[in-house]
């Protein structure tokens, strides 16, 4: 009996010790020249990042738990440090949040140093992009130079990983070999999207030799789904690449019987869990973007019957019910009353008679702030003298001081309001917001003109606003 008790206690202690080991710690020391930094954000794939304040030593520290390895981003404003952690790592980071401005010590330092070098080289190469042909003068030559550059940049990403192989842990190399391959393919596809965003059709911006080499490089494998970069690529980019391939071959990309082409192609080209993962997300997107489409309910029920778990079926049916009452073109935009920068409440109805371009954002959202810096100034300039257009920025920050600081740091012009509470604030439900940035155009009569408006940087945005003025 005593021997059995000792054995049980030993197993319990072993289990507890193993549980305690499944952690990693990171401490970030911000250098003296960046003493104004009062908070950082840790992003591990979640919609709303975790905010960090300084500890008693004046540093920023956090503990990671769960499954390893993990890849994450520590962000200050637009600057970011990419990190890779394994179980048991105790990483110390000293940074000024500039390119190449981080040094690493402690367990996990070699991996972090290698990852920083890989991305610094990638960004330096990005800055060297200077096509000899011009967009206006010779677009076919211009876009081919862009695509050749994308290939070169992607090859460099993979080569830098190979060059670091002897300096990093086997787990880092194995994980990054998958991650960097699919980040490189994402980079190739990004340039197609980038060129199309200038107003060209996809067929006009595809590489001269199509995208077959991209498709051929993609491995459809369930064993890779544990890698979040691979999973994200397969859900978001693989169906898009298949659609681009259809376009390159001159084949139709129209929906058939209410089934989107990317859904149909993914269903054809994949099996098992990968197929279920991809199709579930695309079913969600169909329900969110096709509010007035009579084929939606049939599409949803067919998908549920073939692929959905009980929990997924409930999620999709709930989403469908929400879509019946959520915002869509022509309905009265939900009113609200929110505090502005001067502390007084403002309402959407205050701007009745004007077109309102609403930007839902947060200080921790890198893409949001990038749009504000790169796209908003030009968009505002086009309507500088137009008293009938209002740019309304609604932040879902939890911290008012961070909201105010971001506005000041980025010099964001326009009307500002705070919907404190993050993605849980009632306004996000009223406007069916499940992620940011998100843009909505409201017409002079207070009706939704576009519930998923293009961002400030896109060339079509001014035309959308002008169209709303005429409606």
């Amino acid at each position: 009996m005593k021997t059995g008790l000792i054995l049980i206690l030993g197993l319990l202690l072993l289990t507890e010790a193993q549980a305690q080991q499944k952690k990693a710690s990171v401490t970030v020391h911000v250098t003296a020249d960046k003493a104004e930094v009062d908070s950082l954000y840790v992003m591990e794939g979640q919609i709303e990042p975790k905010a960090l304040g300084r500890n008693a030593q004046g540093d920023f520290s956090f503990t990671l738990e769960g499954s390893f390895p993990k890849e994450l981003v520590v962000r200050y404003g637009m600057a970011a440090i990419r990190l890779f952690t394994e179980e048991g790592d105790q990483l110390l980071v000293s940074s000024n949040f500039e390119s190449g401005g981080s040094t690493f010590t402690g367990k996990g330092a070699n991996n972090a140093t290698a990852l920083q070098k890989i991305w610094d080289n990638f960004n330096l190469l990005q800055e060297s992009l200077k096509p000899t042909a011009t967009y206006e003068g010779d677009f076919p030559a211009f876009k081919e130079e862009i695509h050749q550059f994308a290939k070169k940049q992607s090859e460099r990403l993979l080569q830098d990983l190979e060059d670091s192989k002897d300096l990093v842990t086997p787990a880092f190399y194995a994980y990054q070999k998958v991650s960097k391959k699919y980040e490189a393919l994402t980079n190739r596809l990004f340039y197609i999207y980038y060129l199309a965003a200038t107003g060209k059709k996809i067929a006009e911006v595809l590489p001269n030799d199509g995208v077959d080499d991209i498709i051929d490089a993609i491995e459809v494998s369930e064993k890779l789904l544990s890698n979040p970069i691979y999973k994200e690529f397969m859900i978001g980019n693989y169906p898009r690449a298949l659609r681009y391939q259809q376009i390159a071959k001159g084949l139709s990309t129209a929906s058939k019987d209410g089934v989107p082409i990317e859904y149909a192609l993914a269903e054809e080209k994949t099996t098992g869990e990968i197929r279920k993962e991809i199709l579930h997300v695309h079913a969600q997107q169909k329900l969110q973007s096709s509010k007035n489409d009579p084929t939606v309910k049939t599409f949803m029920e067919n998908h549920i019957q073939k692929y959905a778990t009980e929990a997924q079926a409930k999620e999709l049916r709930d989403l469908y019910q929400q879509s019946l009452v959520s915002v869509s073109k022509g309905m009265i935009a939900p009113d609200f009353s929110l505090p502005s920068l001067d502390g007084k409440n403002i309402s959407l109805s205050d701007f009745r008679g004007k077109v309102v371009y609403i930007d839902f954002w947060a200080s921790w959202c890198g893409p949001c702030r990038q749009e504000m810096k790169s796209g908003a100034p030009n968009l505002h300039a086009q309507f500088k003298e137009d008293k009938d257009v209002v740019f309304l920025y609604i932040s879902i920050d939890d911290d008012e001081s961070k909201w105010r600081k971001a506005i000041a740091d980025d010099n964001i012009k326009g009307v500002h309001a705070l919907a404190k509470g993050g993605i849980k604030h009632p306004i996000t439900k009223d406007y069916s917001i499940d992620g940011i940035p998100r843009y909505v155009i409201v017409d002079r009569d207070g009706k939704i003109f576009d519930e998923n408006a293009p961002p400030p940087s896109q060339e079509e945005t001014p035309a959308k606003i002008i169209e709303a003025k005429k409606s």
Side-chain angles (χ1 to χ4, degrees):
M1 183 70 175
K2 185 180 289 186
T3 303
L5 183 60
I6 292 172
L7 179 61
I8 291 170
L9 288 172
L11 288 171
L12 287 172
L13 288 170
L14 178 62
T15 302
E16 184 180 355
Q18 289 173 336
Q20 290 174 346
Q21 289 172 0
K22 291 185 178 180
K23 293 183 179 181
S25 65
V26 178
T27 298
V28 181
H29 170 75
V30 180
T31 55
D33 57 323
K34 292 289 183 178
E36 76 277 6
V37 177
D38 60 354
S39 61
L40 301 177
Y41 292 93
V42 180
M43 306 179 71
E44 198 188 326
Q46 66 269 53
I47 291 177
E48 197 164 351
K50 179 182 178 182
L52 298 176
R54 290 185 184 268
N55 59 22
Q57 291 73 42
D59 296 324
F60 302 86
S61 59
F62 57 95
T63 300
L64 298 163
E65 299 181 359
S67 59
F68 288 90
K70 293 180 184 289
E71 194 163 6
L72 57 144
V73 176
V74 178
R75 186 178 292 280
Y76 169 64
M78 294 301 297
I81 307 170
R82 293 173 180 259
L83 298 175
F84 175 91
T85 58
E86 296 181 53
E87 185 179 320
D89 278 357
Q90 294 180 314
L91 186 61
L92 305 176
V93 185
S94 180
S95 181
N96 62 4
F97 281 88
E98 295 177 5
S99 179
S102 300
T103 57
F104 308 93
T105 56
K107 188 177 181 184
N110 287 349
N111 291 340
T113 301
L115 189 60
Q116 176 178 250
K117 183 178 179 180
I118 289 170
W119 283 114
D120 281 350
N121 288 343
F122 181 88
N123 292 329
L124 283 172
L125 188 57
Q126 175 75 51
E127 293 171 7
S128 72
L129 175 57
K130 294 182 176 68
T132 56
T134 63
Y135 179 93
E136 298 82 3
D138 188 353
F139 181 77
F142 172 82
K143 64 109 172 181
E144 204 55 29
E145 282 192 63
I146 295 290
H147 289 309
Q148 290 305 314
F149 174 84
K151 280 187 180 181
K152 178 182 176 182
Q153 193 179 34
S154 297
E155 289 165 0
R156 175 64 183 270
L157 191 66
L158 299 174
Q159 185 57 53
D160 282 346
L161 174 62
E162 290 302 316
D163 292 345
S164 70
K165 184 176 181 180
D166 295 335
L167 305 173
V168 298
T169 62
F172 176 93
Y173 178 77
Y175 182 96
Q176 297 295 340
K177 191 171 178 63
V178 176
S179 294
K180 293 296 167 279
K181 173 181 176 179
Y182 289 94
E183 284 170 334
L185 293 175
T186 297
N187 186 57
R188 296 274 310 278
L189 293 169
F190 164 77
Y191 281 99
I192 297 173
Y193 174 82
Y194 162 76
L195 289 168
T198 65
K200 298 285 186 180
K201 295 180 179 179
I202 294 294
E204 297 176 289
V205 303
L206 289 172
N208 290 342
D209 53 358
V211 294
D212 286 353
D213 63 324
I214 295 176
I215 298 294
D216 292 344
I218 298 168
E219 183 179 355
V220 181
S221 171
E222 290 188 15
K223 68 182 181 182
L224 298 179
L225 280 175
S226 60
N227 185 298
I229 302 298
Y230 174 80
K231 184 175 180 178
E232 181 180 341
F233 178 89
M234 293 304 292
I235 290 172
N237 285 311
Y238 182 51
R240 183 178 297 118
L242 292 172
R243 176 166 61 86
Y244 290 166
Q245 188 180 48
Q246 291 280 104
I247 295 171
K249 293 180 178 180
L251 301 174
S252 173
T253 57
S255 298
K256 185 177 181 181
D257 298 326
V259 179
I261 185 63
E262 291 187 8
Y263 181 102
L265 291 170
E267 185 177 31
E268 176 188 344
K269 300 292 185 181
T270 60
T271 58
E273 287 304 311
I274 289 183
R275 174 191 278 171
K276 290 178 182 178
E277 291 279 0
I278 295 173
L279 298 188
H280 179 65
V281 172
H282 283 260
Q284 290 176 313
Q285 292 173 351
K286 168 76 173 176
L287 293 176
Q288 291 168 335
S289 63
S290 305
K291 296 180 176 66
N292 299 314
D293 186 343
T295 67
V296 167
K297 193 171 191 301
T298 301
F299 165 82
M300 176 188 69
E301 293 299 341
N302 286 340
H303 170 83
I304 288 172
Q305 184 178 7
K306 289 192 285 186
Y307 302 117
T309 64
E310 185 176 341
Q312 288 174 335
K314 183 179 184 308
E315 178 188 359
L316 292 174
R317 289 188 175 115
D318 287 348
L319 191 60
Y320 174 72
Q321 290 300 321
Q322 291 170 17
S323 74
L324 298 179
V325 296
S326 61
V327 293
S328 59
K329 184 171 183 176
M331 70 175 287
I332 295 294
D335 204 0
F336 48 77
S337 180
L338 297 170
S340 63
L341 277 174
D342 62 9
K344 297 178 182 179
N345 279 13
I346 60 172
S347 301
L348 180 63
S349 54
D350 295 341
F351 307 107
R352 188 64 61 89
K354 303 176 186 292
V355 170
V356 185
Y357 182 85
I358 306 176
D359 181 334
F360 291 94
W361 70 291
S363 65
W364 46 259
C365 173
C368 301
R369 295 180 67 175
Q370 182 60 44
E371 275 292 338
M372 289 172 172
K373 287 183 176 182
S374 63
N378 182 53
L379 181 62
H380 286 199
Q382 295 184 60
F383 295 94
K384 185 177 180 180
E385 306 300 328
D386 195 329
K387 304 298 184 183
D388 292 330
V389 176
V390 174
F391 293 97
L392 174 59
Y393 292 89
I394 300 178
S395 168
I396 61 169
D397 269 289
D398 276 324
D399 190 315
E400 182 177 340
S401 63
K402 293 182 176 63
W403 167 60
R404 291 180 177 276
K405 187 175 186 301
I407 294 170
D409 288 349
D410 296 348
N411 193 28
I412 306 167
K413 305 297 184 183
V415 180
H416 291 276
L418 179 62
K420 194 173 182 180
I423 207 73
K424 295 178 182 178
H425 191 281
I427 199 171
T428 63
K429 183 177 180 181
D430 290 342
Y431 282 84
S432 304
I433 294 169
D434 54 9
I436 54 175
R438 171 77 178 277
Y439 309 95
V440 176
I441 297 176
V442 179
D443 69 15
R444 296 174 185 271
D445 296 324
K447 295 179 180 179
I448 298 291
F449 180 79
D450 191 337
E451 71 272 24
N452 281 296
S457 61
Q458 290 196 10
E459 289 189 0
E460 64 184 295
T461 306
K464 280 274 188 183
I465 294 173
I466 292 170
E467 188 181 348
K469 287 181 63 179
K470 295 177 179 178
S471 67

mmCIF file of all heavy atoms in Angstrom, residues 47 53 68 75 79-80 89 106 119 193 197 218 240 257 299 310 328 338 346 358 372 386 393 411 420 425 458-459:
data_model
loop_
_atom_site.group_PDB
_atom_site.id
_atom_site.type_symbol
_atom_site.label_atom_id
_atom_site.label_comp_id
_atom_site.label_asym_id
_atom_site.label_seq_id
_atom_site.Cartn_x
_atom_site.Cartn_y
_atom_site.Cartn_z
ATOM 1 N N ILE A 47 -7.464 38.670 -32.078
ATOM 2 C CA ILE A 47 -7.971 39.932 -32.622
ATOM 3 C C ILE A 47 -7.531 41.098 -31.748
ATOM 4 O O ILE A 47 -7.112 42.133 -32.226
ATOM 5 C CB ILE A 47 -9.512 39.891 -32.729
ATOM 6 C CG1 ILE A 47 -9.930 38.892 -33.814
ATOM 7 C CG2 ILE A 47 -10.088 41.255 -33.052
ATOM 8 C CD1 ILE A 47 -11.414 38.710 -33.951
ATOM 9 N N GLY A 53 2.125 46.787 -19.323
ATOM 10 C CA GLY A 53 2.671 47.976 -18.693
ATOM 11 C C GLY A 53 4.023 47.643 -18.085
ATOM 12 O O GLY A 53 4.412 46.474 -18.000
ATOM 13 N N PHE A 68 3.831 24.656 -27.530
ATOM 14 C CA PHE A 68 5.016 25.301 -28.090
ATOM 15 C C PHE A 68 5.476 24.506 -29.306
ATOM 16 O O PHE A 68 5.147 23.330 -29.447
ATOM 17 C CB PHE A 68 6.131 25.361 -27.037
ATOM 18 C CG PHE A 68 5.888 26.347 -25.933
ATOM 19 C CD1 PHE A 68 5.221 25.963 -24.779
ATOM 20 C CD2 PHE A 68 6.297 27.658 -26.054
ATOM 21 C CE1 PHE A 68 4.982 26.867 -23.767
ATOM 22 C CE2 PHE A 68 6.065 28.578 -25.035
ATOM 23 C CZ PHE A 68 5.404 28.174 -23.886
ATOM 24 N N ARG A 75 4.678 44.712 -30.106
ATOM 25 C CA ARG A 75 4.514 45.916 -30.927
ATOM 26 C C ARG A 75 4.460 47.176 -30.077
ATOM 27 O O ARG A 75 3.863 47.208 -29.002
ATOM 28 C CB ARG A 75 3.227 45.785 -31.756
ATOM 29 C CG ARG A 75 3.011 46.901 -32.757
ATOM 30 C CD ARG A 75 1.748 46.680 -33.557
ATOM 31 N NE ARG A 75 1.841 45.554 -34.438
ATOM 32 C CZ ARG A 75 2.439 45.568 -35.622
ATOM 33 N NH1 ARG A 75 3.014 46.684 -36.053
ATOM 34 N NH2 ARG A 75 2.476 44.500 -36.371
ATOM 35 N N ALA A 79 6.096 49.999 -34.879
ATOM 36 C CA ALA A 79 7.311 49.189 -34.784
ATOM 37 C C ALA A 79 6.995 47.850 -34.137
ATOM 38 O O ALA A 79 6.110 47.749 -33.283
ATOM 39 C CB ALA A 79 8.373 49.930 -33.967
ATOM 40 N N ALA A 80 7.732 46.822 -34.533
ATOM 41 C CA ALA A 80 7.437 45.483 -34.026
ATOM 42 C C ALA A 80 8.701 44.649 -33.891
ATOM 43 O O ALA A 80 9.653 44.806 -34.655
ATOM 44 C CB ALA A 80 6.446 44.785 -34.951
ATOM 45 N N ASP A 89 12.042 28.580 -22.575
ATOM 46 C CA ASP A 89 12.840 29.762 -22.918
ATOM 47 C C ASP A 89 12.681 30.852 -21.849
ATOM 48 O O ASP A 89 11.598 31.031 -21.276
ATOM 49 C CB ASP A 89 12.409 30.330 -24.273
ATOM 50 C CG ASP A 89 13.036 29.591 -25.446
ATOM 51 O OD1 ASP A 89 13.840 28.681 -25.198
ATOM 52 O OD2 ASP A 89 12.708 29.938 -26.596
ATOM 53 N N GLY A 106 19.852 35.297 -22.882
ATOM 54 C CA GLY A 106 19.051 34.290 -22.208
ATOM 55 C C GLY A 106 18.723 33.135 -23.120
ATOM 56 O O GLY A 106 19.096 33.104 -24.301
ATOM 57 N N TRP A 119 14.198 38.897 -40.988
ATOM 58 C CA TRP A 119 13.203 39.917 -41.340
ATOM 59 C C TRP A 119 13.834 41.264 -41.658
ATOM 60 O O TRP A 119 13.325 42.010 -42.499
ATOM 61 C CB TRP A 119 12.166 40.045 -40.225
ATOM 62 C CG TRP A 119 11.183 38.923 -40.260
ATOM 63 C CD1 TRP A 119 11.009 37.947 -39.333
ATOM 64 C CD2 TRP A 119 10.252 38.642 -41.315
ATOM 65 N NE1 TRP A 119 10.019 37.072 -39.731
ATOM 66 C CE2 TRP A 119 9.541 37.479 -40.938
ATOM 67 C CE3 TRP A 119 9.947 39.248 -42.525
ATOM 68 C CZ2 TRP A 119 8.548 36.918 -41.739
ATOM 69 C CZ3 TRP A 119 8.967 38.687 -43.326
ATOM 70 C CH2 TRP A 119 8.276 37.540 -42.934
ATOM 71 N N TYR A 193 -2.254 41.192 -55.450
ATOM 72 C CA TYR A 193 -3.298 41.980 -54.795
ATOM 73 C C TYR A 193 -2.933 43.467 -54.817
ATOM 74 O O TYR A 193 -3.774 44.330 -55.073
ATOM 75 C CB TYR A 193 -3.475 41.497 -53.361
ATOM 76 C CG TYR A 193 -4.425 42.332 -52.537
ATOM 77 C CD1 TYR A 193 -5.803 42.140 -52.620
ATOM 78 C CD2 TYR A 193 -3.942 43.315 -51.676
ATOM 79 C CE1 TYR A 193 -6.678 42.914 -51.873
ATOM 80 C CE2 TYR A 193 -4.812 44.096 -50.923
ATOM 81 C CZ TYR A 193 -6.169 43.887 -51.025
ATOM 82 O OH TYR A 193 -7.024 44.655 -50.292
ATOM 83 N N ALA A 197 -5.046 46.471 -56.588
ATOM 84 C CA ALA A 197 -5.613 47.555 -55.776
ATOM 85 C C ALA A 197 -5.471 48.914 -56.441
ATOM 86 O O ALA A 197 -6.105 49.884 -56.024
ATOM 87 C CB ALA A 197 -4.959 47.576 -54.397
ATOM 88 N N ILE A 218 2.687 24.431 -53.305
ATOM 89 C CA ILE A 218 1.830 24.281 -52.120
ATOM 90 C C ILE A 218 1.609 22.807 -51.812
ATOM 91 O O ILE A 218 1.196 22.029 -52.675
ATOM 92 C CB ILE A 218 0.475 24.983 -52.342
ATOM 93 C CG1 ILE A 218 0.699 26.488 -52.552
ATOM 94 C CG2 ILE A 218 -0.462 24.746 -51.160
ATOM 95 C CD1 ILE A 218 -0.530 27.223 -53.060
ATOM 96 N N ARG A 240 -7.539 31.700 -52.937
ATOM 97 C CA ARG A 240 -7.315 32.867 -53.792
ATOM 98 C C ARG A 240 -6.350 32.526 -54.926
ATOM 99 O O ARG A 240 -6.557 32.926 -56.081
ATOM 100 C CB ARG A 240 -6.763 34.023 -52.956
ATOM 101 C CG ARG A 240 -6.571 35.310 -53.754
ATOM 102 C CD ARG A 240 -6.065 36.439 -52.874
ATOM 103 N NE ARG A 240 -7.020 36.771 -51.836
ATOM 104 C CZ ARG A 240 -6.797 36.667 -50.545
ATOM 105 N NH1 ARG A 240 -5.613 36.259 -50.102
ATOM 106 N NH2 ARG A 240 -7.713 36.987 -49.658
ATOM 107 N N ASP A 257 -24.739 28.551 -58.699
ATOM 108 C CA ASP A 257 -25.798 28.140 -57.771
ATOM 109 C C ASP A 257 -25.531 28.664 -56.357
ATOM 110 O O ASP A 257 -25.792 27.979 -55.362
ATOM 111 C CB ASP A 257 -25.948 26.615 -57.747
ATOM 112 C CG ASP A 257 -26.340 26.045 -59.107
ATOM 113 O OD1 ASP A 257 -27.086 26.729 -59.823
ATOM 114 O OD2 ASP A 257 -25.893 24.938 -59.433
ATOM 115 N N PHE A 299 -27.183 27.414 -49.424
ATOM 116 C CA PHE A 299 -25.734 27.189 -49.383
ATOM 117 C C PHE A 299 -25.301 26.754 -47.988
ATOM 118 O O PHE A 299 -24.544 25.798 -47.814
ATOM 119 C CB PHE A 299 -25.002 28.467 -49.801
ATOM 120 C CG PHE A 299 -23.544 28.480 -49.456
ATOM 121 C CD1 PHE A 299 -22.614 27.856 -50.271
ATOM 122 C CD2 PHE A 299 -23.088 29.104 -48.294
ATOM 123 C CE1 PHE A 299 -21.255 27.859 -49.942
ATOM 124 C CE2 PHE A 299 -21.742 29.122 -47.964
ATOM 125 C CZ PHE A 299 -20.822 28.489 -48.794
ATOM 126 N N GLU A 310 -21.375 19.850 -34.929
ATOM 127 C CA GLU A 310 -22.571 20.393 -34.287
ATOM 128 C C GLU A 310 -22.339 21.833 -33.840
ATOM 129 O O GLU A 310 -23.200 22.700 -34.020
ATOM 130 C CB GLU A 310 -22.944 19.518 -33.086
ATOM 131 C CG GLU A 310 -24.255 19.927 -32.422
ATOM 132 C CD GLU A 310 -24.654 18.987 -31.293
ATOM 133 O OE1 GLU A 310 -24.130 17.852 -31.253
ATOM 134 O OE2 GLU A 310 -25.488 19.388 -30.463
ATOM 135 N N SER A 328 -26.871 46.625 -43.580
ATOM 136 C CA SER A 328 -26.730 46.375 -45.009
ATOM 137 C C SER A 328 -27.161 47.623 -45.752
ATOM 138 O O SER A 328 -27.828 48.505 -45.193
ATOM 139 C CB SER A 328 -27.559 45.163 -45.455
ATOM 140 O OG SER A 328 -28.922 45.358 -45.168
ATOM 141 N N LEU A 338 -21.232 58.630 -28.221
ATOM 142 C CA LEU A 338 -19.895 58.260 -27.740
ATOM 143 C C LEU A 338 -19.118 59.509 -27.356
ATOM 144 O O LEU A 338 -19.299 60.573 -27.962
ATOM 145 C CB LEU A 338 -19.135 57.507 -28.837
ATOM 146 C CG LEU A 338 -19.712 56.168 -29.295
ATOM 147 C CD1 LEU A 338 -18.966 55.688 -30.545
ATOM 148 C CD2 LEU A 338 -19.621 55.131 -28.188
ATOM 149 N N ILE A 346 -20.881 62.650 -28.893
ATOM 150 C CA ILE A 346 -21.330 62.897 -30.267
ATOM 151 C C ILE A 346 -22.150 61.699 -30.732
ATOM 152 O O ILE A 346 -21.962 60.570 -30.259
ATOM 153 C CB ILE A 346 -20.154 63.137 -31.238
ATOM 154 C CG1 ILE A 346 -19.213 61.920 -31.274
ATOM 155 C CG2 ILE A 346 -19.394 64.387 -30.878
ATOM 156 C CD1 ILE A 346 -18.159 62.010 -32.354
ATOM 157 N N ILE A 358 -16.886 56.267 -41.858
ATOM 158 C CA ILE A 358 -16.535 55.812 -40.512
ATOM 159 C C ILE A 358 -15.373 54.829 -40.583
ATOM 160 O O ILE A 358 -15.392 53.870 -41.367
ATOM 161 C CB ILE A 358 -17.731 55.139 -39.815
ATOM 162 C CG1 ILE A 358 -18.958 56.052 -39.827
ATOM 163 C CG2 ILE A 358 -17.365 54.767 -38.381
ATOM 164 C CD1 ILE A 358 -20.211 55.407 -39.231
ATOM 165 N N MET A 372 -4.064 54.953 -41.713
ATOM 166 C CA MET A 372 -4.199 56.357 -41.315
ATOM 167 C C MET A 372 -3.008 57.187 -41.775
ATOM 168 O O MET A 372 -3.155 58.352 -42.152
ATOM 169 C CB MET A 372 -4.340 56.442 -39.793
ATOM 170 C CG MET A 372 -5.676 55.925 -39.284
ATOM 171 S SD MET A 372 -5.682 55.830 -37.487
ATOM 172 C CE MET A 372 -7.401 55.436 -37.182
ATOM 173 N N ASP A 386 -14.702 70.299 -48.816
ATOM 174 C CA ASP A 386 -16.064 69.773 -48.905
ATOM 175 C C ASP A 386 -16.670 69.671 -47.504
ATOM 176 O O ASP A 386 -16.299 68.799 -46.715
ATOM 177 C CB ASP A 386 -16.061 68.389 -49.573
ATOM 178 C CG ASP A 386 -17.437 67.962 -50.023
ATOM 179 O OD1 ASP A 386 -18.420 68.355 -49.366
ATOM 180 O OD2 ASP A 386 -17.544 67.219 -51.014
ATOM 181 N N TYR A 393 -13.685 58.803 -36.873
ATOM 182 C CA TYR A 393 -12.828 57.712 -36.392
ATOM 183 C C TYR A 393 -13.358 57.209 -35.043
ATOM 184 O O TYR A 393 -13.391 57.966 -34.067
ATOM 185 C CB TYR A 393 -11.390 58.201 -36.228
ATOM 186 C CG TYR A 393 -10.730 58.524 -37.545
ATOM 187 C CD1 TYR A 393 -10.834 59.802 -38.091
ATOM 188 C CD2 TYR A 393 -10.031 57.552 -38.247
ATOM 189 C CE1 TYR A 393 -10.245 60.105 -39.311
ATOM 190 C CE2 TYR A 393 -9.433 57.842 -39.459
ATOM 191 C CZ TYR A 393 -9.548 59.116 -39.988
ATOM 192 O OH TYR A 393 -8.966 59.398 -41.198
ATOM 193 N N ASN A 411 -1.032 62.102 -35.842
ATOM 194 C CA ASN A 411 -1.626 63.334 -36.384
ATOM 195 C C ASN A 411 -2.869 63.013 -37.218
ATOM 196 O O ASN A 411 -2.991 63.420 -38.373
ATOM 197 C CB ASN A 411 -0.596 64.098 -37.223
ATOM 198 C CG ASN A 411 -1.046 65.509 -37.542
ATOM 199 O OD1 ASN A 411 -1.818 66.113 -36.789
ATOM 200 N ND2 ASN A 411 -0.583 66.042 -38.656
ATOM 201 N N LYS A 420 -15.175 52.620 -25.795
ATOM 202 C CA LYS A 420 -14.319 51.903 -24.853
ATOM 203 C C LYS A 420 -14.901 50.523 -24.528
ATOM 204 O O LYS A 420 -16.071 50.391 -24.214
ATOM 205 C CB LYS A 420 -14.174 52.728 -23.573
ATOM 206 C CG LYS A 420 -13.064 52.286 -22.643
ATOM 207 C CD LYS A 420 -12.911 53.276 -21.503
ATOM 208 C CE LYS A 420 -11.773 52.881 -20.583
ATOM 209 N NZ LYS A 420 -11.623 53.854 -19.477
ATOM 210 N N HIS A 425 -17.800 46.051 -27.163
ATOM 211 C CA HIS A 425 -18.662 47.235 -27.082
ATOM 212 C C HIS A 425 -19.899 47.028 -27.959
ATOM 213 O O HIS A 425 -19.812 46.451 -29.046
ATOM 214 C CB HIS A 425 -17.896 48.480 -27.547
ATOM 215 C CG HIS A 425 -18.615 49.751 -27.256
ATOM 216 N ND1 HIS A 425 -19.654 50.205 -28.043
ATOM 217 C CD2 HIS A 425 -18.466 50.671 -26.261
ATOM 218 C CE1 HIS A 425 -20.102 51.348 -27.557
ATOM 219 N NE2 HIS A 425 -19.396 51.659 -26.479
ATOM 220 N N GLN A 458 -7.172 52.976 -51.040
ATOM 221 C CA GLN A 458 -7.593 52.453 -52.339
ATOM 222 C C GLN A 458 -8.143 53.567 -53.227
ATOM 223 O O GLN A 458 -8.862 54.466 -52.764
ATOM 224 C CB GLN A 458 -8.637 51.345 -52.168
ATOM 225 C CG GLN A 458 -8.047 50.070 -51.584
ATOM 226 C CD GLN A 458 -8.952 48.869 -51.772
ATOM 227 O OE1 GLN A 458 -9.939 48.907 -52.490
ATOM 228 N NE2 GLN A 458 -8.598 47.779 -51.121
ATOM 229 N N GLU A 459 -7.819 53.473 -54.511
ATOM 230 C CA GLU A 459 -8.192 54.523 -55.454
ATOM 231 C C GLU A 459 -9.697 54.664 -55.612
ATOM 232 O O GLU A 459 -10.194 55.734 -55.956
ATOM 233 C CB GLU A 459 -7.547 54.253 -56.809
ATOM 234 C CG GLU A 459 -6.034 54.466 -56.816
ATOM 235 C CD GLU A 459 -5.447 54.401 -58.211
ATOM 236 O OE1 GLU A 459 -6.215 54.193 -59.164
ATOM 237 O OE2 GLU A 459 -4.226 54.563 -58.338
#
